């Protein structure tokens, strides 16, 4: 039994809709994959221990000689002939090792690097992840308040893009497909949010 003209038209419409949808999906995949950048996870070359910052802050002498990974946002970078000192406001790290953009903090710490690090790169409010050896504490002033900073000898540092307090965008893509109640109509909807 032969197919009617209406059945052939419906069949062609379905094929065209599927082909068009595949082409459109491929186009949007290329568009969004070329516009989206993913920051590389800082893979520490030095081995480190996972010690809660609250414990390090409470008793840095207790953990002297141990290597840890910490993160936060830079408050100040100071260069001398021999070293670079970075004061950091500690922030919890996400699963990729990046400091989270939250107001939560365990306090401040100082990392000393025995090399020159440019203040233009390691500028205030820049998120960083560091690996360093705990070497004690250093006393300083915040305004008129005496403050005891945990002190680390830096081994590695990873500066992240952006600032520590910005809302980091996440991209979501939704795709919907619909067909008309009768006949050969169809629709494709694509939405994004940042």
């Amino acid at each position: 039994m032969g197919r009617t003209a209406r059945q052939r038209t419906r069949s062609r419409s379905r094929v065209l809709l599927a082909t068009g949808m595949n082409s459109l999906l491929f186009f949007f995949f290329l568009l969004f994959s070329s516009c989206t950048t993913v920051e590389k996870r800082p893979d520490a070359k030095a081995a480190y221990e996972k010690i809660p910052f609250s414990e390090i802050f409470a008793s840095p002498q207790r953990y002297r000689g141990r290597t840890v990974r910490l993160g936060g946002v830079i408050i100040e970078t100071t260069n001398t002939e021999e070293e670079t000192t970075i004061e950091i406001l500690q922030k919890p790290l996400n699963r990729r090792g990046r400091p989270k953009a939250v107001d939560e903090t365990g306090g401040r710490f100082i990392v000393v690097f025995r090399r020159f690090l440019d203040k233009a790169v390691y500028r205030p409010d820049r998120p960083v992840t560091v690996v360093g050896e705990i070497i004690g504490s250093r006393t300083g002033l915040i305004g008129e308040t005496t403050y005891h900073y945990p002190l680390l000898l830096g081994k590695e540092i990873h500066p992240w893009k952006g600032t520590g307090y910005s809302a980091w965008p996440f991209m979501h893509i939704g795709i919907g497909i619909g067909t008309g109640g009768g006949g050969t109509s169809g629709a494709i909807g694509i939405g994004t949010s940042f």
Side-chain angles (χ1 to χ4, degrees), residues 98-125:
R98 180 182 178 137
K100 295 179 181 178
V102 295
D103 288 333
E104 176 187 341
T105 179
R108 298 178 182 199
F109 64 97
I110 292 176
V111 184
V112 176
F113 288 89
R114 303 270 190 236
R115 65 183 191 271
F116 176 80
L117 296 174
D118 199 311
K119 291 170 68 167
V121 174
Y122 298 95
R123 62 189 175 276
D125 203 31

Side-chain angles (χ1 to χ4, degrees), residues 28-40:
F28 279 104
F29 170 77
L30 288 178
L31 175 70
F32 288 117
S33 65
S34 65
C35 296
T36 305
T37 59
V38 177
E39 289 187 277
K40 185 181 148 199

Side-chain angles (χ1 to χ4, degrees), residues 42-49 67-70 111 113 129-133 152-158:
D43 294 321
K45 293 174 183 68
Y48 61 88
E49 298 179 58
T67 301
V68 294
R69 181 177 76 166
L70 300 173
V111 184
F113 288 89
T129 301
V130 298
V131 174
E133 178 186 337
L152 279 69
L153 179 59
K155 295 182 178 186
E156 298 177 30
I157 185 166
H158 180 83

Side-chain angles (χ1 to χ4, degrees), residues 19-135:
T19 304
M21 184 175 70
N22 287 339
S23 298
L24 191 60
L25 288 174
F26 181 71
F27 168 76
F28 279 104
F29 170 77
L30 288 178
L31 175 70
F32 288 117
S33 65
S34 65
C35 296
T36 305
T37 59
V38 177
E39 289 187 277
K40 185 181 148 199
R41 167 186 263 163
D43 294 321
K45 293 174 183 68
Y48 61 88
E49 298 179 58
K50 293 182 180 181
I51 302 171
F53 183 73
S54 58
E55 292 180 25
I56 296 168
F57 187 81
S59 182
Q61 300 299 337
R62 178 178 172 203
Y63 297 101
R64 187 181 201 105
R66 297 177 66 182
T67 301
V68 294
R69 181 177 76 166
L70 300 173
V73 293
I74 295 174
I75 295 173
E76 183 179 22
T77 300
T78 308
N79 296 110
T80 65
E81 286 292 325
E82 300 83 32
E83 62 191 27
T84 299
T85 302
I86 303 177
E87 181 180 346
I88 300 172
L89 180 66
Q90 185 271 340
K91 299 282 185 172
L93 301 176
N94 68 15
R95 62 185 170 82
R96 293 179 54 238
R98 180 182 178 137
K100 295 179 181 178
V102 295
D103 288 333
E104 176 187 341
T105 179
R108 298 178 182 199
F109 64 97
I110 292 176
V111 184
V112 176
F113 288 89
R114 303 270 190 236
R115 65 183 191 271
F116 176 80
L117 296 174
D118 199 311
K119 291 170 68 167
V121 174
Y122 298 95
R123 62 189 175 276
D125 203 31
R126 180 137 195 207
V128 292
T129 301
V130 298
V131 174
E133 178 186 337
I134 301 168
I135 57 175

Side-chain angles (χ1 to χ4, degrees), residues 85 129 149 163 183 194:
T85 302
T129 301
Y149 299 87
T163 60
F194 297 91

